[in-house]
Amino acid sequence: MPPPTEPVHYRIRREASGLAARVRDSEGGRWFAANWRGHRWFRLLGYLLAAILALQALIWVTVTRNLPSAETLLSYQPPLPTMVRGVDGQVVYSYARERRVQLRFVDFPKPVIDAYLSAEDKTFWTHGGVDYAGFVGAVVDYVTKFGSGERAKGGSTITQQVAKNILIGNEYSVTRKLKEIILARKIEGVLTKQQILELYLNEIPLGRQSFGVQAAARAYFGKDVGELNLQEAAFLAILPKAPEVYGRAKSAARAIERRNWVLGQMAKNGWADPAAVAAAQAQPLGLIPRRVDSYDPSQGYFMEEVRRQLIAKYGEKAEDGPNSVYAGGLWVRTSIDPQFNKAAQDALRAGLLRYAAGKGWRSPIDHADIADGRWQTALITMNHSVDYQDWRIGIVVDRDGSSATVGFSDGSKGPLTGLPDALKKGDVVAVAPAGNGFAVRTVPEISGGMVVENPHSGRILAMQGGFDPGLGSFNRATQALRQPGSTIKPFVYATALDYGMTPASQVLDGTFCVYQGAALGQKCFRNFDMRGSGGTHTMRWGLEQSRNLMTIRVANDTGMDHVVKTFERVGIGKYEPYLSYALGAGDTTVQQLTNAYAALANNGVQFPSTLIDYVQDRNGKVIWRADNRRCERCNMDQWDGKPMPRLTSRGKQVLDPRTAYQVVHMLEGVVTRGTATRLRDLNLPLFGKTGTTTGPTNVWFAGGSKDFVGAVYIGYDQPRSLGGYAQGGTYAAPIMKDLILATKSRWPRTPFVAPADIRMVKIDRVTGKRVFAGEPTDDPKSAIIWEAFKADTEPPRATRQDELQAQRDALISAIRRASAAQNRHSAPATTNDDVVVEEPPPPAEAPPPQ
């Protein structure tokens, strides 16, 4: 029978006791026991060794175990802002919550380096990471201040500060100090002194949200490090100790005292000429006021849209990935054209102010409860601003009858005049200087959006989403869904042209009703002027004059299922095949409509509308581009004798090029003699279409030239009537005109080019019939015009109706001649007193109509 299983713990104890017995009974064991019992010094040495081992274990558990590796500094990537370039390659914006600029060691001037070494670590070039004399002094200072609440002086070398700032943080404790020392020793074994100093000068926090010397030089003096004089370099060197103290105006005396001490140390160390130091010590601080980076405020809506797209791709913070917007150090090339963008802002603002003129103050920009008296904090938190003339954003601190006080984010206050009756305490308003105080200014309640695009690439050159981006980030150019009204009609007519109609096709401008079923009954459409002309007209005339009834007939005859497919194909929107959508009842955005009109201007080829051309990471590698076509043979060192490599077209043919040209040619008539004649005196080859939605709640204009296409609308954010007088031609078209006037030198004067298979034919503008006699003139109302026809769709020399009419005219003429001849032969003889009156001969027979 096998023995019972021995418990595991009993076996371990038995084997361990056996091992101990063997060790104890060995020669070495007997020697150790004899010395331990017989020699006191041996026991003390044993206790000391045990204490050292215990201390090492304690240090490993509390300090060393979780220390980061110093080798990580070799590949350290500091958080960097994202820099944005415009269409010309110039930096136009940055996304940053901290000021950071990375320089190489060789980029830092020697006086700047010497100033920091004099202030922080004069033995930097000789120590191994720790200044033990300074460390002992820091320990003594810590012991003397223990329990007092005061913070002991650091005693840290620059290497220790690198370890603290980058690897372990700024916790105030003995443990952190030990970690700092251990890491500093390791860092000195991994990095060169120059590399350590480069990290330090780029990463040290120096106040005013600036990290690193270059960012601080710009924040405090508005200079680059290479432009700093001696006293400015010395001032920056005092900031690591207390940046939020020395950088304030109220601490100027303390800052000068500390700065002059640093200058003295530079002279003492032999790093600066004593005479130059004496001159520098006599200088004031010379700090500039705290300010934010100055970028063109007109770019706010464009840059906010770029920011949204970047965050969607790469994330916002460092935790979101290596290419995050606020830490990844991206370089972003955009298509923003500063001239066009500023012109768009000015034009849209002018249009909004024209409409709002005389309507008076309606409501504040915002409101805050300031019963606790913290009005400045409330105003700063709301983060409103306005960049228009001399306007400022303030908050009504108090109101008493006809007097009030306005406060500003910098803490200043002033009397407020021109008070609206509804203005009350806590209202946030726009004001402007007036006399010894400020007067209320009216920010238009109405708003709108505007986009300008290059139709040959889809690159958006300008984008405006309201009166001012400082009043709110809602972008009406991309986020507001609005009914486009009659600006959608060109695509209805484009569908009709695809299905056999021509610009000269006759369409009835009369009442049109449709039965919508038992629930909805019969719906009758009407023109903007509430009536029809009662006759037939050319399709061109219907588009030029924006006739709703003609458009509905065209859509109905073509088929609304075909029409809505065209809308979807050009990117306006996806709608059900209801006739009301042919008049612009569906929702779209300014950006989408602009891109659709770009397809018209580009002979039916449409490019995706883009704001970003490409994105580079911090090392310059392109990680995303809008144009992702590849050309493998384009970078050959030598020609291989094969045909030249060519990139495929990035655009998509969304419309027949002939149809697109026909529509553009008709839309030129809208500018020449239609609803957009306000643009006619620009004397440029322009096309476009106005739009006015039911109410009217929105007014539109879309169009441009062969190189620039734009769209604009204005309306209330909560749609309501603009008033019966508001039309696209009276409010939206002038906005586009202002934009063109501001950039006129860049607009092409060459006309649109017809694609192959288009025939230009002279027709009668009213009847649409082909004519041969006469020539078109520059008169907008010329009876004869050139019209664009697809091959074999142009009017024939004579229609069957014309032939029948000619036959009738010839028959009547023959009858008249025969009757006249018979009358002459049967007439009685006359006397001298009679007067013979002959019937005038019939007119010569006219040639048959051509």
Side-chain angles (χ1 to χ4, degrees):
M1 183 175 181
T5 303
E6 184 179 24
V8 174
H9 68 277
Y10 177 78
R11 185 169 68 252
I12 292 174
R13 289 172 56 193
R14 178 175 57 77
E15 292 177 355
S17 60
L19 176 63
R22 286 195 297 273
V23 171
R24 186 174 58 249
D25 295 338
S26 66
E27 183 178 350
R30 290 194 295 273
W31 175 85
F32 181 84
N35 280 286
W36 184 265
R37 289 192 298 271
H39 301 283
R40 184 167 176 265
W41 62 268
F42 189 83
R43 290 196 299 274
L44 292 176
L45 186 62
Y47 290 139
L48 179 61
L49 180 61
I52 292 174
L53 292 174
L55 180 61
Q56 285 183 334
L58 179 64
I59 291 175
W60 182 84
V61 170
T62 60
V63 179
T64 310
R65 182 181 57 171
N66 296 319
L67 275 181
S69 172
E71 282 76 8
T72 59
L73 293 178
L74 291 171
S75 57
Y76 172 67
Q77 299 281 10
L80 290 177
T82 289
M83 306 302 294
V84 183
R85 298 184 187 273
V87 70
D88 57 358
Q90 297 298 313
V91 174
V92 294
Y93 208 80
S94 71
Y95 303 113
R97 295 194 173 110
E98 299 170 344
R99 290 187 175 96
R100 290 181 181 269
V101 181
Q102 294 290 299
L103 300 180
R104 298 171 303 163
F105 176 77
V106 295
D107 296 325
F108 291 102
K110 190 173 184 301
V112 170
I113 295 174
D114 292 340
Y116 274 92
L117 296 183
S118 296
E120 296 292 319
D121 189 0
K122 66 180 180 180
T123 62
F124 172 76
W125 297 112
T126 58
H127 65 62
V130 180
D131 180 1
Y132 291 103
F135 175 68
V136 170
V139 170
V140 173
D141 190 52
Y142 178 82
V143 171
T144 57
K145 292 179 178 177
F146 184 77
S148 67
E150 296 183 55
R151 186 160 182 161
K153 66 181 182 180
S156 296
T157 64
I158 283 178
T159 311
Q160 289 175 260
Q161 292 184 55
V162 168
K164 175 185 67 176
N165 293 331
I166 299 177
L167 297 178
I168 59 177
N170 196 30
E171 176 194 2
Y172 181 63
S173 67
V174 175
T175 302
R176 192 267 296 169
K177 201 68 176 178
L178 293 173
K179 292 180 179 179
E180 194 180 284
I181 291 172
I182 294 170
L183 270 178
R185 296 287 300 173
K186 292 183 177 181
I187 289 172
E188 291 277 348
V190 172
L191 302 180
T192 66
K193 289 287 188 178
Q194 288 81 359
Q195 288 174 317
I196 295 170
L197 200 52
E198 179 182 307
L199 278 173
Y200 174 78
L201 295 175
N202 277 324
E203 291 299 309
I204 188 73
L206 297 174
R208 293 195 180 185
Q209 294 181 301
S210 58
F211 288 75
V213 180
Q214 169 65 13
R218 290 180 179 175
Y220 289 97
F221 299 108
K223 298 179 178 181
D224 292 325
V225 288
E227 302 170 330
L228 296 173
N229 55 39
L230 190 60
Q231 67 267 18
E232 290 168 343
F235 171 81
L236 295 181
I238 73 174
L239 293 176
K241 285 288 188 286
E244 297 304 328
V245 174
Y246 294 133
R248 297 180 182 274
K250 63 182 181 181
S251 302
R254 291 179 60 187
I256 290 176
E257 180 183 0
R258 176 70 179 174
R259 179 203 67 181
N260 290 348
W261 177 84
V262 171
L263 288 169
Q265 290 297 305
M266 293 178 71
K268 181 179 178 181
N269 296 332
W271 295 339
D273 179 70
V277 165
Q281 289 175 331
Q283 299 298 318
L285 290 179
L287 306 184
I288 63 174
R290 180 188 291 263
R291 59 190 176 95
V292 297
D293 292 327
S294 56
Y295 297 116
D296 185 351
S298 71
Q299 299 169 356
Y301 286 111
F302 194 108
M303 293 304 156
E304 177 60 18
E305 186 62 27
V306 170
R307 189 183 78 96
R308 289 190 186 105
Q309 293 184 15
L310 290 173
I311 288 177
K313 291 179 188 295
Y314 304 113
E316 181 177 0
K317 298 174 291 186
E319 306 87 77
D320 299 325
N323 297 317
S324 63
V325 173
Y326 287 98
L330 302 177
W331 286 88
V332 182
R333 181 67 170 261
T334 69
S335 56
I336 189 171
D337 186 306
Q339 183 187 11
F340 264 102
N341 200 72
K342 183 66 166 63
Q345 182 197 59
D346 294 344
L348 181 60
R349 277 181 172 175
L352 298 176
L353 290 169
R354 273 194 298 269
Y355 177 85
K359 290 182 170 56
W361 189 87
R362 293 183 61 90
S363 60
I365 296 169
D366 209 333
H367 182 82
D369 182 2
I370 56 173
D372 58 0
R374 301 178 62 186
W375 58 266
Q376 184 182 5
T377 301
L379 186 60
I380 292 173
T381 302
M382 286 186 284
N383 195 31
H384 291 305
S385 64
V386 64
D387 179 58
Y388 180 71
Q389 296 182 353
D390 56 355
W391 291 15
R392 299 176 65 182
I393 298 297
I395 187 170
V396 180
V397 177
D398 58 61
R399 178 170 186 178
D400 183 12
S402 60
S403 63
T405 302
V406 62
F408 301 103
S409 57
D410 61 1
S412 62
K413 295 190 293 185
L416 189 60
T417 61
L419 306 181
D421 293 339
L423 189 71
K424 58 184 180 295
K425 180 178 178 179
D427 282 347
V428 177
V429 294
V431 301
N436 295 324
F438 299 90
V440 176
R441 292 290 181 260
T442 301
V443 175
E445 185 183 12
I446 194 171
S447 197
M450 190 174 194
V451 169
V452 180
E453 179 180 321
N454 181 337
H456 307 302
S457 63
R459 300 169 76 205
I460 293 176
L461 306 177
M463 176 180 287
Q464 293 299 324
F467 186 81
D468 193 290
L471 301 176
S473 61
F474 182 68
N475 190 338
R476 295 158 189 86
T478 60
Q479 295 176 298
L481 290 171
R482 293 289 171 143
Q483 294 180 348
S486 295
T487 54
I488 209 170
K489 289 178 181 177
F491 302 96
V492 178
Y493 285 80
T495 311
L497 293 171
D498 281 340
Y499 282 86
M501 298 185 76
T502 75
S505 296
Q506 294 286 316
V507 181
L508 176 63
D509 185 24
T511 303
F512 185 90
C513 298
V514 60
Y515 183 69
Q516 304 180 103
L520 299 176
Q522 183 169 267
K523 175 177 177 58
C524 291
F525 293 89
R526 59 194 180 191
N527 287 321
F528 182 81
D529 58 9
M530 308 299 287
R531 58 187 176 86
S533 69
T536 59
H537 301 275
T538 63
M539 200 162 71
R540 165 183 282 277
W541 186 86
L543 185 56
E544 288 179 353
Q545 303 303 320
S546 197
R547 306 302 286 181
N548 289 349
L549 292 175
M550 293 179 66
T551 305
I552 286 294
R553 286 187 186 279
V554 168
N556 186 68
D557 293 346
T558 304
M560 270 306 296
D561 53 338
H562 300 307
V563 172
V564 295
K565 286 179 181 176
T566 300
F567 294 163
E568 183 177 0
R569 196 164 60 248
V570 299
I572 293 175
K574 188 173 183 178
Y575 310 125
E576 296 295 326
Y578 301 138
L579 285 172
S580 58
Y581 289 122
L583 300 181
D587 288 335
T588 191
T589 67
V590 180
Q591 181 179 351
Q592 290 172 315
L593 191 67
T594 303
N595 196 230
Y597 270 74
L600 292 175
N602 200 35
N603 283 343
V605 177
Q606 186 182 54
F607 295 86
S609 61
T610 59
L611 290 84
I612 301 172
D613 292 343
Y614 57 84
V615 180
Q616 296 169 280
D617 65 14
R618 67 172 69 219
N619 300 314
K621 179 183 178 182
V622 176
I623 58 177
W624 184 89
R625 65 170 67 245
D627 186 353
N628 55 11
R629 294 173 296 170
R630 300 185 65 85
C631 184
E632 302 296 344
R633 296 171 55 239
C634 288
N635 295 324
M636 291 185 296
D637 294 333
Q638 293 182 344
W639 180 44
D640 59 3
K642 297 179 180 180
M644 180 181 296
R646 297 184 183 276
L647 289 171
T648 58
S649 175
R650 190 169 62 93
K652 181 180 180 181
Q653 192 80 46
V654 295
L655 293 172
D656 184 321
R658 301 170 301 168
T659 297
Y661 179 79
Q662 286 180 297
V663 174
V664 168
H665 193 57
M666 289 192 288
L667 292 177
E668 287 183 288
V670 175
V671 174
T672 302
R673 55 187 162 267
T675 59
T677 54
R678 288 176 179 267
L679 303 178
R680 188 170 65 201
D681 60 3
L682 291 171
N683 297 317
L684 293 171
L686 301 172
F687 78 105
K689 183 71 186 74
T690 58
T692 307
T693 60
T694 302
T697 56
N698 304 292
V699 292
W700 288 80
F701 177 84
S705 71
K706 69 183 187 67
D707 290 341
F708 304 114
V709 172
V712 58
Y713 93 90
I714 65 172
Y716 292 105
D717 286 342
Q718 298 298 322
R720 68 172 190 264
S721 175
L722 301 175
Y725 53 87
Q727 297 180 36
T730 56
Y731 281 106
I735 295 174
M736 182 62 71
K737 183 176 183 178
D738 287 346
L739 168 75
I740 296 173
L741 284 172
T743 56
K744 191 173 182 180
S745 62
R746 299 179 58 183
W747 287 73
R749 297 183 179 276
T750 53
F752 294 90
V753 178
D757 213 23
I758 282 289
R759 306 287 187 264
M760 301 304 294
V761 177
K762 288 187 294 184
I763 68 168
D764 183 286
R765 182 174 59 84
V766 176
T767 66
K769 294 179 179 179
R770 189 170 183 172
V771 297
F772 288 90
E775 294 293 331
T777 68
D778 292 335
D779 181 4
K781 299 298 179 68
S782 173
I784 303 173
I785 63 171
W786 290 106
E787 190 58 273
F789 294 92
K790 296 171 184 174
D792 299 328
T793 67
E794 61 267 30
R797 294 177 64 87
T799 65
R800 177 60 178 163
Q801 183 178 358
D802 293 336
E803 292 173 356
L804 293 174
Q805 182 64 42
Q807 292 173 4
R808 286 195 297 270
D809 292 343
L811 180 59
I812 292 172
S813 180
I815 292 173
R816 286 178 176 175
R817 285 197 302 272
S819 176
Q822 183 180 1
N823 289 339
R824 283 197 298 272
H825 291 304
S826 62
T830 61
T831 65
N832 291 335
D833 296 330
D834 295 327
V835 176
V836 178
V837 179
E838 289 190 350
E839 183 178 348
E845 185 175 350
Q850 304 298 311

